[in-house]
Amino acid sequence: MWRLAPPVARKRATSAAALVPTRKTARRRGHASRSCPGRTGDSALHPRNVVRSRPIVLFSLLLISALALAKEPAWAAPRRLAFGSESNWLLIDARTRDVERISLPNGVEPESLAVLPGGKSIIYTALDPTTRNTGLFRWDRNANEAPVSIGEADGFHGDVTLSQDGQWIYFTHNRGVTAGPPGQHGMKNYAQLFRVRADGSRLEQLTQAAGCHFGPILPKVGSLFYIHTSCHGMSWLKRMGSSEKSSTTLLQEMGRLLEPASAPDGQSLLLASENVDFKEIKELDVRSNKITSLFQFRRDSPTARAQYGANRQDVFFQNKGWVWLWSQGQSTQLAPLRVSSHEQE
């Protein structure tokens, strides 16, 4: 139930109302008040009234920020980006840039890695001593248990990524003793796209055409992008429909397209290409198919793992043993991939 304010409070409210004069008040004051808003008697400029207006201004700013995030909920959602090589891996919060280092089981050196929702379990690909090839594993970080194989019994597994809800793990895979990474396999033993549940059930093959398929990314539910290569120099970036046969080609390039990564809203993709000395990071507008070169750098590692940060202008990547942030035309070091035993203590 609403109650009237006591007389003193009502008088103060009348004074504060001078901040936003009504039409009736403005007519009573006349045109002179409009031409001389800074005159001595203007109560709107009294320090007490200005201080009272600050909560209103602060609330307005917070409301504007909330509305901006509401327009792009995909960008506002929490995201942790994985970077690393060998046994040195870390996660970076896309918004706060906080760093969390991952303590892996002894001897585990992932080639690709993703964290399931909640952060308790990690999916990764790494050397499987029993098959002498790269296997697919799930490791529960808080349990005192060994990693569990969730891929096939043999062959190469790589480029692990998750569906948005974390229910499916997508990866590239080829079978047999001649299996290997795209472009490094036996005759016609092409890498294909697969998916599997986190518990290792419901393994499904998604592609089967000639040529290698790799780099799956899923920016939205029901949307799957991947790279298809002839293994002889030509690469295509494709978007799969209901099946591989209904895939559409977004980009064709002579040479290797590598490491696709999607913006949270799915409207743009990051891609890498490389020559002997340099790696170049490009951005593709999915709606217009326009591709733009963002930056290039002299590389010293095979992977850059470029990923979007809190907005489309921020791009994280790794090189020379560090995670970097590229923003507004400049690159800044953020965190080393490797820390000494003294720093860990």
Side-chain angles (χ1 to χ4, degrees), residues 181-216:
Q184 303 176 38
H185 50 75
M187 181 67 68
K188 296 185 178 181
N189 191 3
Y190 301 118
Q192 304 292 346
L193 297 183
F194 287 74
R195 71 176 186 175
V196 69
R197 293 291 195 181
D199 61 0
S201 65
R202 298 180 62 181
L203 179 70
E204 300 178 14
Q205 183 171 341
L206 304 176
T207 62
Q208 57 185 1
C212 282
H213 306 67
F214 60 95

mmCIF file of all heavy atoms in Angstrom, residues 181-216:
data_model
loop_
_atom_site.group_PDB
_atom_site.id
_atom_site.type_symbol
_atom_site.label_atom_id
_atom_site.label_comp_id
_atom_site.label_asym_id
_atom_site.label_seq_id
_atom_site.Cartn_x
_atom_site.Cartn_y
_atom_site.Cartn_z
ATOM 1 N N PRO A 181 46.764 -37.314 -39.430
ATOM 2 C CA PRO A 181 46.141 -35.998 -39.596
ATOM 3 C C PRO A 181 45.839 -35.712 -41.064
ATOM 4 O O PRO A 181 46.403 -36.359 -41.955
ATOM 5 C CB PRO A 181 47.205 -35.036 -39.049
ATOM 6 C CG PRO A 181 48.086 -35.876 -38.192
ATOM 7 C CD PRO A 181 48.085 -37.238 -38.804
ATOM 8 N N PRO A 182 44.958 -34.761 -41.341
ATOM 9 C CA PRO A 182 44.666 -34.395 -42.730
ATOM 10 C C PRO A 182 45.939 -34.101 -43.517
ATOM 11 O O PRO A 182 46.796 -33.331 -43.084
ATOM 12 C CB PRO A 182 43.800 -33.141 -42.579
ATOM 13 C CG PRO A 182 43.105 -33.332 -41.263
ATOM 14 C CD PRO A 182 44.123 -34.008 -40.388
ATOM 15 N N GLY A 183 46.057 -34.789 -44.661
ATOM 16 C CA GLY A 183 47.240 -34.624 -45.490
ATOM 17 C C GLY A 183 48.416 -35.478 -45.083
ATOM 18 O O GLY A 183 49.455 -35.472 -45.748
ATOM 19 N N GLN A 184 48.281 -36.243 -43.979
ATOM 20 C CA GLN A 184 49.386 -37.079 -43.494
ATOM 21 C C GLN A 184 48.872 -38.495 -43.197
ATOM 22 O O GLN A 184 49.018 -39.019 -42.101
ATOM 23 C CB GLN A 184 50.005 -36.477 -42.235
ATOM 24 C CG GLN A 184 50.502 -35.051 -42.414
ATOM 25 C CD GLN A 184 51.013 -34.459 -41.118
ATOM 26 O OE1 GLN A 184 51.642 -35.127 -40.319
ATOM 27 N NE2 GLN A 184 50.737 -33.180 -40.901
ATOM 28 N N HIS A 185 48.270 -39.120 -44.195
ATOM 29 C CA HIS A 185 47.633 -40.414 -44.006
ATOM 30 C C HIS A 185 47.933 -41.311 -45.195
ATOM 31 O O HIS A 185 48.547 -40.897 -46.193
ATOM 32 C CB HIS A 185 46.117 -40.221 -43.868
ATOM 33 C CG HIS A 185 45.525 -39.372 -44.955
ATOM 34 N ND1 HIS A 185 45.324 -39.811 -46.241
ATOM 35 C CD2 HIS A 185 45.106 -38.077 -44.941
ATOM 36 C CE1 HIS A 185 44.806 -38.841 -46.976
ATOM 37 N NE2 HIS A 185 44.666 -37.767 -46.224
ATOM 38 N N GLY A 186 47.473 -42.559 -45.098
ATOM 39 C CA GLY A 186 47.664 -43.496 -46.186
ATOM 40 C C GLY A 186 46.778 -43.168 -47.376
ATOM 41 O O GLY A 186 45.894 -42.300 -47.313
ATOM 42 N N MET A 187 47.013 -43.833 -48.471
ATOM 43 C CA MET A 187 46.290 -43.588 -49.712
ATOM 44 C C MET A 187 44.775 -43.679 -49.500
ATOM 45 O O MET A 187 44.256 -44.694 -49.070
ATOM 46 C CB MET A 187 46.729 -44.599 -50.775
ATOM 47 C CG MET A 187 46.060 -44.417 -52.125
ATOM 48 S SD MET A 187 46.573 -42.861 -52.931
ATOM 49 C CE MET A 187 48.295 -43.228 -53.282
ATOM 50 N N LYS A 188 44.090 -42.572 -49.771
ATOM 51 C CA LYS A 188 42.633 -42.465 -49.713
ATOM 52 C C LYS A 188 42.037 -42.756 -48.327
ATOM 53 O O LYS A 188 40.824 -42.936 -48.204
ATOM 54 C CB LYS A 188 41.971 -43.380 -50.748
ATOM 55 C CG LYS A 188 42.292 -42.995 -52.184
ATOM 56 C CD LYS A 188 41.512 -43.845 -53.171
ATOM 57 C CE LYS A 188 41.816 -43.412 -54.602
ATOM 58 N NZ LYS A 188 41.059 -44.214 -55.604
ATOM 59 N N ASN A 189 42.871 -42.748 -47.300
ATOM 60 C CA ASN A 189 42.348 -42.924 -45.941
ATOM 61 C C ASN A 189 42.007 -41.550 -45.370
ATOM 62 O O ASN A 189 42.648 -41.043 -44.447
ATOM 63 C CB ASN A 189 43.370 -43.636 -45.060
ATOM 64 C CG ASN A 189 42.776 -44.088 -43.736
ATOM 65 O OD1 ASN A 189 41.583 -43.918 -43.491
ATOM 66 N ND2 ASN A 189 43.600 -44.670 -42.885
ATOM 67 N N TYR A 190 40.991 -40.927 -45.968
ATOM 68 C CA TYR A 190 40.659 -39.535 -45.681
ATOM 69 C C TYR A 190 40.059 -39.367 -44.278
ATOM 70 O O TYR A 190 39.317 -40.231 -43.805
ATOM 71 C CB TYR A 190 39.668 -39.006 -46.712
ATOM 72 C CG TYR A 190 40.175 -39.072 -48.129
ATOM 73 C CD1 TYR A 190 39.529 -39.854 -49.084
ATOM 74 C CD2 TYR A 190 41.296 -38.348 -48.516
ATOM 75 C CE1 TYR A 190 39.984 -39.906 -50.394
ATOM 76 C CE2 TYR A 190 41.762 -38.402 -49.822
ATOM 77 C CZ TYR A 190 41.106 -39.178 -50.760
ATOM 78 O OH TYR A 190 41.570 -39.242 -52.049
ATOM 79 N N ALA A 191 40.363 -38.234 -43.655
ATOM 80 C CA ALA A 191 39.756 -37.891 -42.370
ATOM 81 C C ALA A 191 38.306 -37.457 -42.592
ATOM 82 O O ALA A 191 38.012 -36.659 -43.486
ATOM 83 C CB ALA A 191 40.547 -36.776 -41.704
ATOM 84 N N GLN A 192 37.412 -38.005 -41.779
ATOM 85 C CA GLN A 192 35.988 -37.691 -41.853
ATOM 86 C C GLN A 192 35.528 -37.076 -40.533
ATOM 87 O O GLN A 192 36.244 -37.132 -39.520
ATOM 88 C CB GLN A 192 35.168 -38.952 -42.155
ATOM 89 C CG GLN A 192 35.592 -39.690 -43.409
ATOM 90 C CD GLN A 192 35.297 -38.920 -44.689
ATOM 91 O OE1 GLN A 192 34.544 -37.941 -44.697
ATOM 92 N NE2 GLN A 192 35.895 -39.355 -45.804
ATOM 93 N N LEU A 193 34.337 -36.480 -40.546
ATOM 94 C CA LEU A 193 33.785 -35.889 -39.338
ATOM 95 C C LEU A 193 32.910 -36.906 -38.617
ATOM 96 O O LEU A 193 32.108 -37.622 -39.238
ATOM 97 C CB LEU A 193 32.966 -34.642 -39.666
ATOM 98 C CG LEU A 193 33.730 -33.470 -40.291
ATOM 99 C CD1 LEU A 193 32.786 -32.288 -40.490
ATOM 100 C CD2 LEU A 193 34.928 -33.057 -39.443
ATOM 101 N N PHE A 194 33.048 -36.946 -37.294
ATOM 102 C CA PHE A 194 32.267 -37.829 -36.438
ATOM 103 C C PHE A 194 31.736 -37.014 -35.259
ATOM 104 O O PHE A 194 32.191 -35.901 -34.996
ATOM 105 C CB PHE A 194 33.137 -38.962 -35.889
ATOM 106 C CG PHE A 194 33.518 -40.016 -36.886
ATOM 107 C CD1 PHE A 194 34.475 -39.754 -37.870
ATOM 108 C CD2 PHE A 194 32.936 -41.272 -36.846
ATOM 109 C CE1 PHE A 194 34.847 -40.725 -38.787
ATOM 110 C CE2 PHE A 194 33.292 -42.250 -37.765
ATOM 111 C CZ PHE A 194 34.247 -41.982 -38.736
ATOM 112 N N ARG A 195 30.806 -37.635 -34.551
ATOM 113 C CA ARG A 195 30.388 -37.087 -33.268
ATOM 114 C C ARG A 195 30.061 -38.244 -32.324
ATOM 115 O O ARG A 195 29.731 -39.352 -32.760
ATOM 116 C CB ARG A 195 29.193 -36.141 -33.400
ATOM 117 C CG ARG A 195 27.855 -36.803 -33.736
ATOM 118 C CD ARG A 195 26.759 -35.753 -33.725
ATOM 119 N NE ARG A 195 25.428 -36.368 -33.900
ATOM 120 C CZ ARG A 195 24.285 -35.691 -33.828
ATOM 121 N NH1 ARG A 195 24.308 -34.385 -33.591
ATOM 122 N NH2 ARG A 195 23.135 -36.306 -33.994
ATOM 123 N N VAL A 196 30.140 -37.960 -31.009
ATOM 124 C CA VAL A 196 29.907 -38.979 -29.999
ATOM 125 C C VAL A 196 29.448 -38.281 -28.723
ATOM 126 O O VAL A 196 29.740 -37.093 -28.513
ATOM 127 C CB VAL A 196 31.213 -39.792 -29.746
ATOM 128 C CG1 VAL A 196 32.264 -38.928 -29.053
ATOM 129 C CG2 VAL A 196 30.938 -41.054 -28.952
ATOM 130 N N ARG A 197 28.722 -39.014 -27.892
ATOM 131 C CA ARG A 197 28.329 -38.490 -26.590
ATOM 132 C C ARG A 197 29.543 -38.468 -25.658
ATOM 133 O O ARG A 197 30.525 -39.173 -25.869
ATOM 134 C CB ARG A 197 27.226 -39.348 -25.969
ATOM 135 C CG ARG A 197 25.898 -39.288 -26.705
ATOM 136 C CD ARG A 197 25.248 -37.934 -26.568
ATOM 137 N NE ARG A 197 23.836 -37.980 -26.957
ATOM 138 C CZ ARG A 197 23.030 -36.941 -26.946
ATOM 139 N NH1 ARG A 197 23.493 -35.750 -26.585
ATOM 140 N NH2 ARG A 197 21.768 -37.054 -27.309
ATOM 141 N N ALA A 198 29.439 -37.685 -24.594
ATOM 142 C CA ALA A 198 30.563 -37.552 -23.673
ATOM 143 C C ALA A 198 30.892 -38.858 -22.959
ATOM 144 O O ALA A 198 32.021 -39.035 -22.479
ATOM 145 C CB ALA A 198 30.269 -36.462 -22.647
ATOM 146 N N ASP A 199 29.932 -39.772 -22.880
ATOM 147 C CA ASP A 199 30.206 -41.063 -22.243
ATOM 148 C C ASP A 199 30.707 -42.110 -23.233
ATOM 149 O O ASP A 199 30.894 -43.279 -22.889
ATOM 150 C CB ASP A 199 28.959 -41.586 -21.526
ATOM 151 C CG ASP A 199 27.781 -41.815 -22.483
ATOM 152 O OD1 ASP A 199 27.930 -41.569 -23.689
ATOM 153 O OD2 ASP A 199 26.704 -42.213 -21.992
ATOM 154 N N GLY A 200 30.925 -41.712 -24.496
ATOM 155 C CA GLY A 200 31.431 -42.629 -25.500
ATOM 156 C C GLY A 200 30.366 -43.374 -26.278
ATOM 157 O O GLY A 200 30.692 -44.199 -27.140
ATOM 158 N N SER A 201 29.103 -43.072 -26.032
ATOM 159 C CA SER A 201 28.013 -43.762 -26.724
ATOM 160 C C SER A 201 27.573 -43.005 -27.971
ATOM 161 O O SER A 201 27.937 -41.843 -28.174
ATOM 162 C CB SER A 201 26.813 -43.925 -25.781
ATOM 163 O OG SER A 201 26.276 -42.654 -25.427
ATOM 164 N N ARG A 202 26.832 -43.676 -28.825
ATOM 165 C CA ARG A 202 26.187 -43.107 -30.003
ATOM 166 C C ARG A 202 27.190 -42.465 -30.982
ATOM 167 O O ARG A 202 26.981 -41.365 -31.467
ATOM 168 C CB ARG A 202 25.111 -42.112 -29.592
ATOM 169 C CG ARG A 202 23.974 -42.708 -28.775
ATOM 170 C CD ARG A 202 22.951 -41.691 -28.392
ATOM 171 N NE ARG A 202 22.323 -41.099 -29.571
ATOM 172 C CZ ARG A 202 21.381 -40.149 -29.514
ATOM 173 N NH1 ARG A 202 20.978 -39.696 -28.341
ATOM 174 N NH2 ARG A 202 20.860 -39.657 -30.620
ATOM 175 N N LEU A 203 28.253 -43.175 -31.260
ATOM 176 C CA LEU A 203 29.226 -42.702 -32.240
ATOM 177 C C LEU A 203 28.577 -42.650 -33.618
ATOM 178 O O LEU A 203 27.977 -43.616 -34.070
ATOM 179 C CB LEU A 203 30.441 -43.628 -32.267
ATOM 180 C CG LEU A 203 31.542 -43.280 -33.266
ATOM 181 C CD1 LEU A 203 32.268 -42.007 -32.839
ATOM 182 C CD2 LEU A 203 32.526 -44.434 -33.415
ATOM 183 N N GLU A 204 28.701 -41.491 -34.311
ATOM 184 C CA GLU A 204 28.089 -41.311 -35.621
ATOM 185 C C GLU A 204 29.083 -40.702 -36.592
ATOM 186 O O GLU A 204 29.811 -39.776 -36.237
ATOM 187 C CB GLU A 204 26.864 -40.384 -35.521
ATOM 188 C CG GLU A 204 25.761 -40.877 -34.612
ATOM 189 C CD GLU A 204 24.613 -39.885 -34.514
ATOM 190 O OE1 GLU A 204 24.563 -38.946 -35.353
ATOM 191 O OE2 GLU A 204 23.771 -40.025 -33.609
ATOM 192 N N GLN A 205 29.116 -41.222 -37.814
ATOM 193 C CA GLN A 205 29.926 -40.639 -38.872
ATOM 194 C C GLN A 205 29.068 -39.658 -39.661
ATOM 195 O O GLN A 205 27.957 -39.973 -40.065
ATOM 196 C CB GLN A 205 30.471 -41.722 -39.805
ATOM 197 C CG GLN A 205 31.391 -41.174 -40.887
ATOM 198 C CD GLN A 205 32.102 -42.262 -41.663
ATOM 199 O OE1 GLN A 205 32.190 -43.396 -41.198
ATOM 200 N NE2 GLN A 205 32.635 -41.910 -42.831
ATOM 201 N N LEU A 206 29.586 -38.444 -39.894
ATOM 202 C CA LEU A 206 28.812 -37.372 -40.513
ATOM 203 C C LEU A 206 29.182 -37.127 -41.967
ATOM 204 O O LEU A 206 28.373 -36.604 -42.728
ATOM 205 C CB LEU A 206 28.988 -36.078 -39.717
ATOM 206 C CG LEU A 206 28.626 -36.143 -38.228
ATOM 207 C CD1 LEU A 206 28.935 -34.813 -37.551
ATOM 208 C CD2 LEU A 206 27.168 -36.515 -38.031
ATOM 209 N N THR A 207 30.406 -37.459 -42.366
ATOM 210 C CA THR A 207 30.842 -37.244 -43.748
ATOM 211 C C THR A 207 31.488 -38.519 -44.280
ATOM 212 O O THR A 207 31.960 -39.359 -43.503
ATOM 213 C CB THR A 207 31.851 -36.085 -43.853
ATOM 214 O OG1 THR A 207 33.025 -36.425 -43.088
ATOM 215 C CG2 THR A 207 31.249 -34.793 -43.334
ATOM 216 N N GLN A 208 31.553 -38.627 -45.607
ATOM 217 C CA GLN A 208 32.205 -39.788 -46.206
ATOM 218 C C GLN A 208 32.773 -39.505 -47.598
ATOM 219 O O GLN A 208 33.296 -40.405 -48.251
ATOM 220 C CB GLN A 208 31.232 -40.959 -46.290
ATOM 221 C CG GLN A 208 29.958 -40.674 -47.066
ATOM 222 C CD GLN A 208 28.979 -41.830 -47.013
ATOM 223 O OE1 GLN A 208 29.244 -42.856 -46.382
ATOM 224 N NE2 GLN A 208 27.844 -41.673 -47.681
ATOM 225 N N ALA A 209 32.686 -38.280 -48.063
ATOM 226 C CA ALA A 209 33.183 -37.943 -49.399
ATOM 227 C C ALA A 209 34.708 -38.015 -49.438
ATOM 228 O O ALA A 209 35.392 -37.963 -48.405
ATOM 229 C CB ALA A 209 32.713 -36.551 -49.798
ATOM 230 N N ALA A 210 35.251 -38.109 -50.649
ATOM 231 C CA ALA A 210 36.700 -38.113 -50.830
ATOM 232 C C ALA A 210 37.290 -36.786 -50.371
ATOM 233 O O ALA A 210 36.652 -35.727 -50.447
ATOM 234 C CB ALA A 210 37.034 -38.367 -52.298
ATOM 235 N N GLY A 211 38.523 -36.827 -49.898
ATOM 236 C CA GLY A 211 39.148 -35.629 -49.354
ATOM 237 C C GLY A 211 39.005 -35.607 -47.840
ATOM 238 O O GLY A 211 38.151 -36.285 -47.261
ATOM 239 N N CYS A 212 39.838 -34.832 -47.180
ATOM 240 C CA CYS A 212 39.821 -34.753 -45.720
ATOM 241 C C CYS A 212 38.843 -33.689 -45.228
ATOM 242 O O CYS A 212 38.702 -32.618 -45.830
ATOM 243 C CB CYS A 212 41.221 -34.461 -45.188
ATOM 244 S SG CYS A 212 42.298 -35.912 -45.184
ATOM 245 N N HIS A 213 38.209 -33.996 -44.123
ATOM 246 C CA HIS A 213 37.263 -33.099 -43.465
ATOM 247 C C HIS A 213 37.788 -32.834 -42.057
ATOM 248 O O HIS A 213 38.106 -33.780 -41.329
ATOM 249 C CB HIS A 213 35.880 -33.734 -43.382
ATOM 250 C CG HIS A 213 35.329 -34.198 -44.698
ATOM 251 N ND1 HIS A 213 35.891 -35.252 -45.405
ATOM 252 C CD2 HIS A 213 34.275 -33.762 -45.438
ATOM 253 C CE1 HIS A 213 35.193 -35.447 -46.522
ATOM 254 N NE2 HIS A 213 34.222 -34.563 -46.571
ATOM 255 N N PHE A 214 37.864 -31.577 -41.668
ATOM 256 C CA PHE A 214 38.397 -31.270 -40.334
ATOM 257 C C PHE A 214 37.921 -29.891 -39.897
ATOM 258 O O PHE A 214 37.227 -29.177 -40.630
ATOM 259 C CB PHE A 214 39.923 -31.353 -40.318
ATOM 260 C CG PHE A 214 40.614 -30.409 -41.276
ATOM 261 C CD1 PHE A 214 41.072 -29.174 -40.859
ATOM 262 C CD2 PHE A 214 40.815 -30.769 -42.606
ATOM 263 C CE1 PHE A 214 41.714 -28.310 -41.735
ATOM 264 C CE2 PHE A 214 41.458 -29.924 -43.496
ATOM 265 C CZ PHE A 214 41.907 -28.690 -43.058
ATOM 266 N N GLY A 215 38.308 -29.515 -38.660
ATOM 267 C CA GLY A 215 37.963 -28.201 -38.120
ATOM 268 C C GLY A 215 36.486 -27.973 -37.908
ATOM 269 O O GLY A 215 35.982 -26.893 -38.226
ATOM 270 N N PRO A 216 35.714 -28.930 -37.364
ATOM 271 C CA PRO A 216 34.283 -28.687 -37.165
ATOM 272 C C PRO A 216 34.036 -27.611 -36.106
ATOM 273 O O PRO A 216 34.720 -27.571 -35.080
ATOM 274 C CB PRO A 216 33.763 -30.047 -36.690
ATOM 275 C CG PRO A 216 34.948 -30.682 -36.023
ATOM 276 C CD PRO A 216 36.135 -30.229 -36.813
#
